[in-house]
Amino acid sequence: MSESPSRVAIVTGAARGIGAATAERLARDGFAVAVIDLEEAAAKGAVEAIEAAGGRALAVGADVSDAAQVEAAVDRVAAELGAPTVLINNAGVTRDNLLFKMTETDWDTVMSVHLRGSFLMSRAVQQHMVAAKWGRIVNLSSTSALGNRGQANYSAAKAGLQGFTKTLAIELGKFGITANCIAPGFIVSDMTKATAERIGEDWETYVAARAAQIPVARAGQPEDIAHTVSFLVSEGAGFVSGQVIYVAGGPKA
């Protein structure tokens, strides 16, 4: 284990996909991990996988866009696992549509989970990091931040997270806290499967077509993002802050 077992990490949206892979990787790195998702029951599977491998984990249900629920979740983590000093803001949703079809609810929902959620979680957890004089925040953006048809809401939210990350790095650096952003490219996940369904494409055909456009000639896996998170929260990454890393299999989205 590369990290102190006393260190505690929180991963939001961690019931499946990138979040679950990240939670399991951080547990292998030696962190006790709080697996946060909208429904506590949904997070049980990731917790059981961590515990089966000998790690410590806690399932917590919370809507990250709700300030009271966020405060309660972070307080529970601190009480049951210990003060959290690593935060991975991964929770996200899509409500894709072309601009003229997009509703205000579509816009607000995506903004609330991605941007408001990351803000609320970061605000609640930073006090523990400041007290410890050490912390790591990693926000999950996307190559969609560069623009993507049918995703005006998602693209704007993911671009906003990049500016949010850089500001956190400036404000919190003097407390021994780094903040970085990962922008995944095409990752095989429930979210990308939903995209294929939305546009009416066969999943296997969709993956093959996307992979053919990627320089490394394969689709990304949740573990690819988890590996990058592992580095960014490590002691060795203490001089890396305010960065946006595109984990996309090539130099272009």
Side-chain angles (χ1 to χ4, degrees):
M1 293 184 178
S2 60
E3 304 294 343
S4 166
S6 65
R7 283 195 174 148
V8 176
I10 292 176
V11 184
T12 68
R16 61 187 64 82
I18 290 172
T22 297
E24 291 174 25
R25 175 57 190 262
L26 293 181
R28 291 198 300 273
D29 288 345
F31 291 94
V33 183
V35 178
I36 294 184
D37 212 277
L38 188 59
E39 300 294 335
E40 183 172 324
K44 294 290 188 182
V47 168
E48 289 170 358
I50 290 169
E51 292 177 339
R56 292 176 63 220
L58 174 69
V60 180
D63 177 351
V64 297
S65 69
D66 184 292
Q69 290 189 42
V70 165
E71 291 291 342
V74 173
D75 287 347
R76 182 181 169 196
V77 172
E80 297 189 32
L81 289 181
T85 53
V86 167
L87 172 63
I88 314 302
N89 283 311
N90 171 72
V93 295
T94 55
R95 296 291 186 271
D96 297 350
N97 225 326
L98 294 175
L99 181 62
F100 76 99
K101 294 180 180 179
M102 186 173 289
T103 68
E104 292 175 19
T105 299
D106 291 337
W107 178 272
D108 291 344
T109 297
V110 170
M111 291 296 169
S112 291
V113 176
H114 292 272
L115 279 176
R116 178 180 168 88
S118 295
F119 157 66
L120 291 174
M121 288 297 306
S122 298
R123 187 180 66 177
V125 175
Q126 59 83 30
Q127 59 186 318
H128 296 289
M129 298 178 179
V130 170
K133 296 183 173 58
W134 190 95
R136 300 284 188 265
I137 298 172
V138 179
N139 297 316
L140 270 292
S141 180
S142 169
T143 54
S144 291
L146 302 174
N148 198 32
R149 179 179 173 83
Q151 290 194 317
N153 49 5
Y154 187 78
S155 296
K158 290 304 193 183
L161 280 171
Q162 296 187 15
F164 178 63
T165 298
K166 291 176 181 295
T167 300
L168 292 183
I170 293 168
E171 291 188 8
L172 300 177
K174 65 183 179 181
F175 301 108
I177 302 166
T178 66
N180 290 287
C181 196
I182 297 174
F186 179 71
I187 304 295
V188 172
S189 68
D190 289 343
M191 188 175 285
T192 49
K193 286 181 180 178
T195 298
E197 291 176 3
R198 176 178 61 84
I199 63 178
E201 289 198 20
D202 171 73
W203 173 240
E204 297 300 330
T205 303
Y206 182 69
V207 172
R210 293 295 300 268
Q213 299 173 348
I214 299 172
V216 300
R218 70 170 176 87
Q221 299 294 327
E223 290 74 18
D224 291 313
I225 308 306
H227 294 320
T228 308
V229 171
S230 177
F231 165 67
L232 290 174
V233 305
S234 70
E235 290 287 354
F239 203 55
V240 180
S241 195
Q243 301 306 302
V244 179
I245 302 175
Y246 283 83
V247 183
K252 296 181 179 179

